[in-house]
Amino acid sequence: LTHPTEPFFRTETLLFPLGAGLEVQPLSPLQGVLAAPLTLTLGPLVAYNVLALFSFWFAGWMTFLWARRHTASALAACLAGVVYSFAPHHFTYLPQLNLVQIGVVPLYLWCAERLTERPTRARALVAGLVLAAVGLCDWYYGLAAGAVGLVLAALRERAAAEKRGALVLELWHFGACLVVLLPVVVPM
């Protein structure tokens, strides 16, 4: 905020002396928005640590919600949340803020399955916005979650082939994601 620049400018700091464009770098816009007020008030070190600690809680909670749909036991869902949250992948990528927010993936799976269970425009919109949040955390996770979303959309379309309006829900689902991600994807 103190030195406003374009988000996708070319910098010589990366890949010196040639430089590199930031459009394909893991910018983590979602984490940047979350970290901005914390960084301004508490400093960058505290902001990073708060986001890293939050990622463990959020990953465990979202996995608990998703696993509870598939298990008859809250204890089993709680165990799934603990295992996912404290997986080696999470600790390995702890220094990279874009890869530490793994909780958005089970959140998207939970939203996408709820959309499959009872398709409504509101659920399609929420699933699309959460898919966009996954993509804004990291584009690797966004591509993987988008592929899962396409498979679930194909299953919903096949199940609702006789119903009209199923395609409209998919447009809400993926359209909401596209509208949010368009300003990031177009410069790339």
Side-chain angles (χ1 to χ4, degrees), residues 90-113:
H90 203 175
F91 285 103
T92 300
Y93 293 108
L94 200 54
Q96 297 176 336
L97 194 57
N98 62 316
L99 296 176
V100 80
Q101 300 298 337
I102 61 174
V104 291
V105 175
L107 174 62
Y108 175 69
L109 293 173
W110 183 66
C111 290
E113 286 180 353

Side-chain angles (χ1 to χ4, degrees), residues 1-184:
L1 294 174
T2 56
H3 303 291
T5 60
E6 278 186 53
F8 302 115
F9 70 98
R10 187 163 191 81
T11 180
E12 286 75 32
T13 311
L14 296 172
L15 303 175
F16 183 80
L18 301 174
L22 294 178
E23 63 273 1
V24 293
Q25 301 299 323
L27 295 176
S28 312
L30 186 62
Q31 288 88 328
V33 168
L34 293 174
L38 293 171
T39 303
L40 290 173
T41 57
L42 302 172
L45 184 61
V46 174
Y48 184 86
N49 287 331
V50 166
L51 286 177
L53 288 173
F54 173 77
S55 74
F56 284 94
W57 172 79
F58 189 68
W61 184 42
M62 291 301 109
T63 305
F64 169 79
L65 290 177
W66 181 67
R68 192 173 59 182
R69 294 179 53 81
H70 299 284
T71 63
S73 168
L75 181 63
C78 185
L79 181 63
V82 169
V83 168
Y84 183 74
S85 183
F86 294 102
H89 172 85
H90 203 175
F91 285 103
T92 300
Y93 293 108
L94 200 54
Q96 297 176 336
L97 194 57
N98 62 316
L99 296 176
V100 80
Q101 300 298 337
I102 61 174
V104 291
V105 175
L107 174 62
Y108 175 69
L109 293 173
W110 183 66
C111 290
E113 286 180 353
R114 285 178 49 103
L115 174 62
T116 302
E117 177 184 281
R118 197 181 73 194
T120 65
R121 280 190 183 176
R123 287 184 178 194
L125 184 62
V126 168
L129 292 175
V130 171
L131 180 58
V134 174
L136 289 175
C137 280
D138 191 76
W139 66 273
Y140 307 127
Y141 296 158
L143 285 176
V148 169
L150 287 174
V151 169
L152 290 174
L155 291 174
R156 278 192 301 273
E157 194 62 37
R158 195 178 94 200
E162 67 277 357
K163 294 181 183 176
R164 295 181 62 130
L167 186 60
V168 173
L169 285 177
E170 298 309 326
L171 290 175
W172 276 91
H173 178 192
F174 291 106
C177 176
L178 184 65
V179 166
V180 173
L181 291 180
L182 210 55
V184 176

